[in-house]
């Protein structure tokens, strides 16, 4: 679903972008807003696809050997995705029409594996810098418990009068 914004700033009624019998997830707009990259299991396994927005009339398969966690490069010239445990990149052009190259391996990392006890996490566990030269990957060594945050209210009061 998506909502257009009227000229006065108010939102139109929600509209369906894509409705299929498959599971789609992890959608992200291209830099120019004319395309959406997403993950779908329509082939029987998760793959990365692009559709034009808002019509969704045309579809391009980006991954070839399974794919999850898609992200557009900030300038829209590349799509990154995970083909476990590899981070892949595909060169794309969006003007005058959409076209894409073949996936190329950037690097491997055990932290790109997105399988948990509850199944495959198709959402990105990484991000790319605005200049597209660096990546940040969420990392938790195997077997370690998740970090927790402890918030202590009024901690300064404990030191008053000491």
């Amino acid at each position: 679903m998506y909502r257009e914004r009227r000229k006065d700033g108010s939102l139109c009624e929600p509209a369906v972008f894509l409705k299929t019998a498959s599971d789609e997830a992890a959608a992200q707009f291209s830099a120019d807003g004319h395309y959406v990259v997403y993950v779908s299991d329509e082939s029987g396994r998760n793959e990365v696809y692009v559709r034009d927005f808002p019509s969704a009339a045309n579809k391009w398969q980006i991954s070839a050997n399974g794919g999850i966690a898609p992200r557009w490069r900030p300038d829209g010239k590349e799509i990154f995705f995970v083909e476990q445990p590899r981070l892949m990149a595909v060169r794309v052009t969006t003007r005058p029409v959409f076209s894409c190259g073949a996936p190329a391996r950037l690097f491997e990392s055990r932290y790109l594996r997105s399988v948990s006890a509850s199944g495959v996490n198709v959402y990105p566990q990484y991000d790319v810098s605005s200049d597209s030269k660096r990546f940040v990957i969420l990392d938790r060594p195997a077997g370690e418990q998740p970090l927790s945050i402890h918030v202590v209210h009024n901690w300064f009061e404990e030191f008053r009068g000491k």
Side-chain angles (χ1 to χ4, degrees):
M1 306 266 314
Y2 70 96
R3 292 178 80 176
E4 297 276 341
R5 189 171 296 280
R6 296 183 184 99
K7 289 182 182 181
D8 69 0
S10 64
L11 292 173
C12 298
E13 290 301 312
V16 173
F17 168 62
L18 184 62
K19 185 174 183 176
T20 72
S22 304
D23 287 331
E24 285 92 17
Q28 186 183 35
F29 281 106
S30 61
D32 64 10
H34 295 288
Y35 298 94
V36 174
V37 66
Y38 65 98
V39 174
S40 176
D41 66 356
E42 68 183 68
S43 70
R45 69 176 175 188
N46 288 320
E47 297 284 1
V48 176
Y49 298 91
V50 169
R51 286 196 185 248
D52 50 342
F53 183 82
S55 73
N58 299 297
K59 176 180 70 174
W60 299 268
Q61 185 170 337
I62 302 301
S63 59
N65 297 307
I68 58 171
R71 284 241 185 253
W72 288 93
R73 191 167 103 175
D75 64 7
K77 295 181 180 178
E78 223 168 6
I79 294 172
F80 304 108
F81 67 92
V82 173
E83 182 184 286
Q84 297 192 32
R86 295 168 290 283
L87 187 65
M88 307 293 284
V90 174
R91 289 273 191 194
V92 298
T93 57
T94 58
R95 294 286 172 229
V97 294
F98 184 88
S99 66
C100 61
R105 185 179 79 112
L106 294 180
F107 59 86
E108 281 190 34
S109 172
R110 70 183 177 132
Y111 303 113
L112 289 169
R113 293 183 190 273
S114 296
V115 178
S116 66
S118 60
V120 176
N121 179 4
V122 298
Y123 296 95
Q125 302 295 305
Y126 69 95
D127 204 357
V128 59
S129 65
S130 60
D131 64 3
S132 304
K133 294 182 180 181
R134 292 174 298 279
F135 294 87
V136 62
I137 301 171
L138 292 180
D139 172 5
R140 184 178 49 164
E144 283 193 19
Q145 294 296 316
L147 295 176
S148 59
I149 297 173
H150 299 275
V151 178
V152 179
H153 292 278
N154 299 320
W155 66 271
F156 197 66
E157 290 298 317
E158 189 151 329
F159 297 102
R160 266 196 217 283
K162 289 189 178 186

